[in-house]
Structure formats: structure tokens, C-alpha cells
Amino acid sequence: MVDRRNIAIALLPLLGLIPLAPQTLAQSITPAADDTGTIVQQEGNTYTITGGTQVDCDILLHRP
């Protein structure tokens, strides 16, 4: 039976790889200037997007 301490010690070097992960950046969300009536409201880290136009969902789905 494998001792949990041995597993933890074996995985310890992997923690050193975490700083090598690429940083992820996001763009801000702004409504397009195309008269669709989209409204973007931000409260802290939460964005509420209302208005605008909705597309037909069948177009966006890839079915086998």
C-alpha cells in the first residue's frame, strides 16, 4: 500500500510549475455601435448584458 506522505512528496515538484502557467487577460465588454440596443451594466466583477437581438440557436449549434 502506498503511503500518502510519499505521494505528497512525489507531487511536490509539480507545485513549482504553477508560476509557469500563462497569464490570462480579458477584454472589457462594451456594446457594439450597431443600433441593436444592447446595454452592458457592470457591478464589481459582474456584467449584466440586456437588450440587443437574439440569433436563432440552431445556427450556432453543431449537430452530428
Side-chain angles (χ1 to χ4, degrees), residues 30-39 49-54:
T30 55
D34 57 3
D35 297 327
T36 57
T38 304
I39 300 169
I49 303 172
T50 57
T53 57
Q54 188 172 5

Side-chain angles (χ1 to χ4, degrees), residues 12-57:
L12 195 58
L14 295 177
L15 292 176
L17 296 177
I18 292 174
L20 299 178
Q23 183 179 13
T24 303
L25 301 175
Q27 295 177 338
S28 63
I29 300 174
T30 55
D34 57 3
D35 297 327
T36 57
T38 304
I39 300 169
V40 179
Q41 296 174 326
Q42 179 186 5
E43 284 188 38
N45 291 331
T46 302
Y47 287 86
T48 303
I49 303 172
T50 57
T53 57
Q54 188 172 5
V55 297
D56 184 10
C57 291

